[in-house]
């Protein structure tokens, strides 16, 4: 599935199941909350903090999918073609960062 199709699927889901999009500020708050859940899992599972017993069954993939869903909602409601924006960003990063990363001694 490409990003454009994902945006269409989210839009269809919102229309069929979600009544309407939450406003942009609400979705921004929701995105912040979802990113926080991802950060908590990563900090405790891969970082130096100990993982609480209640967090051990949390699904990182599910939390990342929550982040993607809200990002797609924000793109839809603000009229952003996220596929086009992503393609442009990847092209920019490829041109800008290829030599920089290959020449970075910290990454060797």
């Amino acid at each position: 599935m490409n990003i454009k199709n994902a945006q269409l699927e989210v839009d269809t889901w919102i229309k069929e199941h979600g009544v309407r999009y939450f406003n942009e500020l609400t979705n921004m708050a929701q995105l912040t909350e979802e990113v926080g859940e991802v950060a908590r899992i990563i900090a405790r599972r891969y970082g130096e903090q100990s993982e609480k017993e209640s967090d051990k069954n949390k699904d990182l993939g599910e939390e990342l999918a929550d982040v993607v869903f809200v990002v797609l909602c924000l793109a839809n409601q603000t009229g952003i073609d996220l596929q086009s924006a992503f393609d442009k960003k990847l092209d920019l990063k490829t041109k800008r960062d290829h030599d920089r990363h290959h020449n970075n001694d910290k990454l060797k």
Side-chain angles (χ1 to χ4, degrees):
M1 173 187 306
N2 65 30
I3 298 171
K4 190 170 214 57
N5 287 341
Q7 279 188 256
L8 291 171
E9 280 198 45
V10 166
D11 195 57
T12 299
W13 188 92
I14 293 290
K15 289 173 181 169
E16 292 178 358
H17 305 286
V19 181
R20 65 171 179 80
Y21 287 94
F22 294 132
N23 69 42
E24 295 84 353
L25 290 175
T26 299
N27 273 337
M28 187 63 233
Q30 185 70 32
L31 179 60
T32 303
E33 180 181 327
E34 298 299 351
V35 169
E37 291 176 19
V38 169
R40 180 183 178 94
I41 292 171
I42 289 175
R44 294 175 187 271
R45 196 164 294 163
Y46 304 103
E48 295 175 346
Q49 289 184 303
S50 60
E51 191 169 26
K52 293 181 180 179
E53 200 59 43
S54 61
D55 289 342
K56 288 186 178 180
N57 291 325
K58 296 210 176 191
D59 184 345
L60 179 58
E62 183 179 327
E63 298 305 333
L64 288 168
D66 285 340
V67 170
V68 170
F69 184 86
V70 179
V71 167
L72 292 169
C73 286
L74 284 165
N76 284 348
Q77 66 193 132
T78 57
I80 302 297
D81 176 346
L82 204 51
Q83 183 70 61
S84 176
F86 180 81
D87 291 344
K88 286 178 190 172
K89 179 55 71 175
L90 193 57
D91 185 54
L92 173 87
K93 289 178 76 56
T94 299
K95 291 174 183 169
R96 181 190 68 199
D97 296 338
H98 177 80
D99 290 335
R100 184 175 70 131
H101 291 316
H102 282 280
N103 294 327
N104 182 348
D105 290 335
K106 294 178 186 177
L107 299 176
K108 294 180 182 182

